[in-house]
Amino acid sequence: MLSIDNLHASVEDKSILNGISLDVKAGEVHAIMGPNGSGKSTLSAVIAGNENYEVSEGAILLNGEDIGELDAESRAHKGIFLSFQYPVEIPGVTVTNFIKTAINASRKAQGLDEMPAKEMLKKIREKATLLEIDSRFLSRSLNQGFSGGEKKRNEIFQMAMLEPKLAILDETDSGLDIDALRIVANGVNKLRNENNAIVVITHYQRLLDYIVPDFVHVLHEGKIVKSGTKELAMELEEKGYDWIKKGA
Amino acid sequence: MQLEEKLMSSFVAFESEVDTLAPVHDVREKALKSFEKLGFPTKKNEEWKYTPLNSLLKEDFHIFSKHDNTVEFKDVKQYFIHDIDTYKIVFVDGVYNSFLSETTHEGADICLLSAALAHSKYQKNITDYFHKIASKNDAFTSLNTAFAKEGAYIHIPEKKILEKPIQIIHFSTGNDTALMLQPRNLIIVGKQAEVQIIERHQSLSNQKVFTNSVTEIFADQRAQVDYYKIQNDQEEASLIDNTYIRQEKESNAKVHTFSFGGKLTRNNLNFYHNDEHIESTLKGITIIENKQLVDHHTLVHHASPNCESHQDYKGIYADTSTGVFNGKVIVEKEAQKTNAFQQNNNILIDDKATINSKPQLEIFADDVKCSHGCTIGQLDEDALFYLRTRGIPKKEAKALLTYAFANNVLESVQIPSVKSRINKIIATKLGVDLGFDV
């Protein structure tokens, strides 16, 4: 599904990713952990196509296709989704209208007609139920005045609607209380299948109790310094990141 | 200055068309003298520093239309808010068009200024209100007053809540090359009366047209005035709009100005408070491109205690367009407990676009809440990236963010048809289908 080879990226001449290689197969969940400043969010931004980062070396392949030169919207059309740590507020555009716009933009890019209103409505209802979102929420302005939990739930709702091949969840657990965390994680788990893949980016192990990864990678100074299974996450929780930093 | 001389010498011809014995004619003559003394403002005038008039005033405008001009409804339908029932006062090249209009004298007077000036039954209102708050020291207002003879006359009597909005539309056909229009509106809203008005100036060709409009609005005790100015004119159309509003106790007046096009658009919007517990709202969205210029000069004169004013202007400037915002708030010594808020936010889409934003607060009372804020920036890159990761292409993403930026001005629009019309114009301006009905 996703194959990253020796990826180097920088922002304003400051090198942040220093040779990352990662293979994510369909049906897998990978967790990327690491201390603050290790490059976790940069990695997700670069995969999603943020133009603020300069990729100086390496390649990002999605199902064998090099997507390194594509803009963010084209990557989205190919099935990449990024759940933001800090989703953006858009006054005057409701959650429903926003998701309609997003879905139809993707369909248009793929040469499809707009999704019929009835079908759209049915899908919205179905996915809203999955994430325990009530209909009033859907007619609010996107992210405006949302609590931390509502913002993250809304991100996963968008993921559910857009049905990406590869979803990157950037610090989805930050700002969530335990109930919200449970709802969000349940939603993600229900969206998992053998045709998609999920990359969970997190500082803490907590989220991984709910979204259980197949593989865990530890990022430090822009490199993956250790990879393992879910037990690695628990070890990190116990020992903290100093252990990794010293070993690196 | 040619136009100035031409105007002065045209006055004699103008006098042959009006009743020179009417008391109003004294007002005209005084205004002409005032204009002669003042002359057109130059760049040296602080109020016109950023809005150069040279190229506009050097045109050889016709002062009177030479043609008997008519237009077909089907050709101009798009400029009306046509999905709801409204009263209509329509002018073509400055001449009233009864075919396109829908006026009334039942329950309220929604008709023509020329009729109000001519008939004795309106004499009292003319004496009491005509040219009572319009400036005596402003060249364009004086000029308009000197030539005042036609426009909308609206009188909503006490406790009358007008059931449908009024549209005032001025078309110019372009049959005369370079035409100057000077409409004059008088709007009197009685105690506890309510009215909604939509005003539009629309050129139907690429000919040059220069409109110098004056509107006086009187909102009596507890009256509600909800006024919308839709400015989306052709590239060669210029407008100087002078609007004066006097409010009495507990009245509420709102003016929304939507400026999306025209060569030069200057809005002089002036609110005067005459008693306590008055609320005034001034809001605007400006989205312009090419070499267009839109200038908002606002004044709120707080003269009594316990009044509020809210100003919120959003501007989006592309290419080499220019925006001016000059928001003046005067709080007199007597006007304690005033709440006056002013906000002006701007986005410059291109490097060569300009905005000159100037808040002017003159506060003489000590127990007041007054605030002003001004921002100038670009669209938020992070927000743009967010939208693009959802598959929304850059152009549409920019449009959505621009729409969101201007949105809270739209929130206070009370007429849904006006709101959806403005949304459509914004979508067209931004070159996108916003993809949903708002």
Side-chain angles (χ1 to χ4, degrees):
Chain A
M1 172 81 63
L2 177 72
S3 179
I4 297 174
D5 181 35
N6 191 31
L7 186 65
H8 287 70
S10 58
V11 61
E12 289 165 1
D13 292 333
K14 188 174 175 261
S15 174
I16 302 182
L17 302 182
N18 302 305
I20 288 190
S21 296
L22 180 68
D23 254 307
V24 180
K25 294 193 171 60
E28 291 178 352
V29 174
H30 288 239
I32 293 175
M33 302 183 71
N36 291 330
S38 59
K40 299 192 299 291
S41 285
T42 299
L43 177 62
S44 59
V46 169
I47 297 171
N50 192 326
E51 288 159 6
N52 289 336
Y53 297 94
E54 173 92 18
V55 174
S56 52
E57 214 183 318
I60 306 170
L61 306 179
L62 185 72
N63 292 324
E65 182 191 357
D66 189 342
I67 58 165
E69 295 295 315
L70 297 181
D71 55 26
E73 53 268 43
S74 303
R75 295 185 198 199
H77 300 154
K78 292 200 177 295
I80 290 183
F81 177 86
L82 172 60
S83 166
F84 277 56
Q85 186 175 1
Y86 303 108
V88 173
E89 297 187 4
I90 308 190
V93 180
T94 63
V95 174
T96 303
N97 280 333
F98 180 70
I99 201 66
K100 279 184 194 169
T101 305
I103 283 185
N104 285 328
S106 278
R107 288 177 70 102
K108 193 176 170 190
Q110 287 153 21
L112 298 169
D113 286 338
E114 289 195 353
M115 185 182 277
K118 214 173 162 183
E119 192 183 327
M120 181 79 77
L121 198 65
K122 187 169 166 261
K123 189 167 180 177
I124 288 172
R125 281 207 191 113
E126 186 188 309
K127 304 298 182 188
T129 310
L130 180 76
L131 286 150
E132 300 177 35
I133 288 171
D134 78 48
S135 58
R136 271 171 306 176
F137 180 86
L138 297 172
S139 52
R140 284 170 66 187
S141 284
L142 189 76
N143 292 321
Q144 199 181 26
F146 284 16
S147 68
E150 285 171 331
K151 280 184 180 169
K152 296 300 166 67
R153 213 186 295 185
N154 181 37
E155 290 293 281
I156 305 305
F157 169 68
Q158 291 178 38
M159 171 184 161
M161 290 296 295
L162 292 165
E163 298 175 334
K165 293 193 184 97
L166 174 77
I168 306 158
L169 312 183
D170 187 10
E171 306 276 0
T172 294
D173 50 333
S174 71
L176 292 191
D177 62 30
I178 201 76
D179 290 329
L181 184 66
R182 183 186 51 79
I183 294 168
V184 165
N186 273 347
V188 172
N189 286 330
K190 282 178 190 161
L191 297 171
R192 285 174 75 165
N193 62 46
E194 68 264 28
N195 298 318
N196 63 23
I198 296 169
V199 175
V200 180
I201 290 177
T202 182
H203 186 88
Y204 302 104
Q205 188 260 344
R206 188 175 74 145
L207 179 66
L208 304 181
D209 286 341
Y210 296 90
I211 304 172
V212 182
D214 300 299
F215 299 97
V216 174
H217 311 277
V218 182
L219 207 57
H220 179 58
E221 291 176 349
K223 274 185 179 167
I224 291 177
V225 291
K226 206 165 178 57
S227 293
T229 54
K230 63 182 178 192
E231 284 73 25
L232 177 58
M234 288 173 200
E235 203 174 344
L236 279 171
E237 184 75 3
E238 230 169 82
K239 297 185 182 169
Y241 285 110
D242 282 348
W243 160 65
I244 293 291
K245 287 181 191 169
K246 276 174 203 151
Chain B
M1 196 173 278
Q2 272 190 342
L3 183 61
E4 205 169 307
E5 284 158 19
K6 190 172 181 179
L7 283 157
M8 293 304 297
S9 57
S10 300
F11 192 70
V12 181
F14 173 76
E15 282 186 312
S16 68
E17 293 177 18
V18 295
D19 176 9
T20 53
L21 299 172
V24 161
H25 202 65
D26 283 342
V27 178
R28 289 192 190 112
E29 283 177 328
K30 274 186 194 143
L32 187 76
K33 284 204 182 93
S34 166
F35 171 69
E36 190 175 16
K37 205 176 86 201
L38 292 162
F40 283 124
T42 63
K43 252 190 149 169
K44 285 178 195 152
N45 184 327
E46 189 68 21
E47 298 295 315
W48 292 88
K49 197 173 166 186
Y50 302 107
T51 303
L53 295 165
N54 323 18
S55 81
L56 176 65
L57 299 177
K58 72 167 195 263
E59 287 299 331
D60 186 22
F61 287 106
H62 292 277
I63 315 297
F64 312 108
S65 176
K66 288 201 186 73
H67 299 83
D68 182 13
N69 296 320
T70 55
V71 294
E72 297 283 329
F73 179 65
K74 64 173 171 54
D75 297 329
V76 294
K77 187 185 171 196
Q78 58 175 309
Y79 303 114
F80 288 88
I81 302 290
H82 51 73
D83 55 344
I84 51 168
D85 195 14
T86 60
Y87 293 108
K88 298 168 194 77
I89 312 172
V90 182
F91 304 90
V92 177
D93 293 335
V95 179
Y96 175 63
N97 184 304
S98 62
F99 183 68
L100 296 173
S101 298
E102 191 185 327
T103 59
T104 191
H105 291 289
E106 283 171 38
D109 290 307
I110 298 166
C111 59
L112 303 177
L113 183 70
S114 58
L117 291 175
H119 293 100
S120 57
K121 73 170 188 176
Y122 303 110
Q123 195 55 55
K124 189 177 179 330
N125 273 351
I126 296 297
T127 308
D128 288 352
Y129 296 107
F130 182 79
H131 202 54
K132 284 294 177 283
I133 48 172
S135 171
K136 314 278 191 288
N137 303 309
D138 174 72
F140 287 104
T141 303
S142 296
L143 180 60
N144 177 288
T145 306
F147 287 88
K149 75 167 192 185
E150 192 58 293
Y153 173 82
I154 296 168
H155 177 215
I156 315 295
E158 197 173 323
K159 289 186 179 163
K160 170 76 181 175
I161 295 166
L162 206 65
E163 73 284 10
K164 52 188 186 183
I166 303 166
Q167 300 193 65
I168 305 172
I169 307 189
H170 298 270
F171 291 113
S172 53
T173 59
N175 293 348
D176 300 272
T177 53
L179 181 65
M180 183 169 179
L181 296 168
Q182 301 210 70
R184 177 77 175 215
N185 305 313
L186 179 60
I187 298 162
I188 306 156
V189 188
K191 287 175 186 162
Q192 297 179 55
E194 294 181 18
V195 66
Q196 293 180 312
I197 297 169
I198 303 152
E199 178 192 343
R200 185 162 187 162
H201 301 267
Q202 188 63 48
S203 167
L204 303 172
S205 76
N206 288 322
Q207 292 289 356
K208 292 183 172 68
V209 55
F210 171 27
T211 304
N212 175 35
S213 174
V214 172
T215 303
E216 289 179 288
I217 303 171
F218 297 85
D220 210 335
Q221 288 178 30
R222 302 179 78 175
Q224 308 255 355
V225 178
D226 193 15
Y227 206 107
Y228 301 92
K229 291 174 185 285
I230 302 177
Q231 301 168 345
N232 187 26
D233 217 340
Q234 302 284 343
E235 288 281 344
E236 288 299 334
S238 294
L239 170 68
I240 294 178
D241 180 290
N242 310 279
T243 298
Y244 301 89
I245 302 180
R246 190 174 80 195
Q247 291 185 252
E248 302 297 331
K249 195 171 188 170
E250 293 173 23
S251 64
N252 187 335
K254 298 191 184 93
V255 176
H256 288 76
T257 307
F258 299 106
S259 309
F260 301 132
K263 184 180 185 169
L264 181 153
T265 307
R266 163 77 170 229
N267 288 292
N268 296 313
L269 181 56
N270 307 282
F271 280 72
Y272 303 98
H273 289 181
N274 211 27
D275 209 328
E276 296 192 40
H277 300 288
I278 288 165
E279 207 177 316
S280 306
T281 302
L282 303 78
K283 292 193 177 190
I285 299 176
T286 302
I287 305 178
I288 51 170
E289 59 196 347
N290 301 330
K291 288 181 183 169
Q292 294 171 334
L293 182 150
V294 170
D295 177 345
H296 292 288
H297 262 66
T298 66
L299 165 71
V300 182
H301 193 150
H302 285 272
S304 299
N306 299 307
C307 296
E308 283 186 22
S309 64
H310 302 270
Q311 297 192 54
D312 191 356
Y313 282 81
K314 310 282 187 204
I316 295 136
Y317 305 93
D319 304 326
T320 54
S321 62
T322 305
V324 181
F325 177 79
N326 190 109
K328 193 170 183 175
V329 176
I330 301 172
V331 181
E332 296 287 359
K333 205 174 167 189
E334 299 75 39
Q336 299 293 358
K337 307 277 181 196
T338 289
N339 283 334
F341 305 105
Q342 185 185 90
Q343 193 67 38
N344 174 231
N345 307 102
N346 304 285
I347 289 181
L348 300 177
I349 301 276
D350 294 296
D351 291 345
K352 285 183 177 165
T354 314
I355 170 73
N356 304 286
S357 180
K358 184 178 166 192
Q360 257 184 298
L361 274 62
E362 297 175 12
I363 302 168
F364 302 101
D366 48 19
D367 185 14
V368 299
K369 273 188 207 160
C370 295
S371 71
H372 67 89
C374 164
T375 62
I376 299 168
Q378 278 89 37
L379 288 174
D380 180 2
E381 287 292 328
D382 291 338
L384 208 53
F385 177 58
Y386 181 74
L387 298 187
R388 294 174 75 189
T389 63
R390 299 303 182 255
I392 300 171
K394 195 173 182 179
K395 191 177 171 190
E396 278 78 9
K398 279 185 169 178
L400 259 182
L401 289 180
T402 308
Y403 174 78
F405 169 76
N407 182 261
N408 61 344
V409 169
L410 280 174
E411 269 175 7
S412 50
V413 173
Q414 304 288 327
I415 308 172
S417 298
V418 170
K419 196 188 259 188
S420 67
R421 171 63 60 90
I422 299 301
N423 274 320
K424 275 193 191 118
I425 297 175
I426 292 177
T428 311
K429 282 275 350 158
L430 300 173
V432 294
D433 179 1
L434 282 171
F436 50 83
D437 296 320
V438 194

